[in-house]
Amino acid sequence: MKFHDIVNLICEQSPLQKKKLTGYLSEQTDRFFCEADEFALRYNGFLQTRNIPIEYAVDAT
């Protein structure tokens, strides 16, 4: 799962967070998104080792 997939899940859950994220992410560099993708892959791996679906983790935010 890539970073934008997680962001999309968050945006589906919360219109307020969508507005905040859209503004924040529009100011970020390509490097930010590369690093965010790396983090998202590692985070997803961590969640899988704990049998936690990403939807549960997003809902907990």
Side-chain angles (χ1 to χ4, degrees), residues 15-60:
L16 178 60
Q17 293 302 323
K18 178 180 181 177
K19 184 177 179 180
K20 290 180 180 180
L21 281 170
T22 301
Y24 175 75
L25 294 175
S26 69
E27 300 173 357
Q28 300 309 309
T29 64
D30 288 341
R31 181 177 175 156
F32 170 87
F33 289 103
C34 288
E35 290 179 10
D37 276 337
E38 290 176 23
F39 170 80
L41 289 172
R42 288 192 309 269
Y43 184 59
N44 194 45
F46 167 77
L47 293 175
Q48 286 178 345
T49 65
R50 302 289 194 273
N51 294 317
I52 301 171
I54 189 69
E55 294 79 11
Y56 177 82
V58 166
D59 193 41

Side-chain angles (χ1 to χ4, degrees), residues 1-18:
M1 175 163 288
K2 293 200 173 217
F3 177 70
H4 74 272
D5 297 322
I6 296 172
V7 170
N8 288 340
L9 286 172
I10 293 168
C11 290
E12 289 172 12
Q13 292 282 336
S14 173
L16 178 60
Q17 293 302 323
K18 178 180 181 177

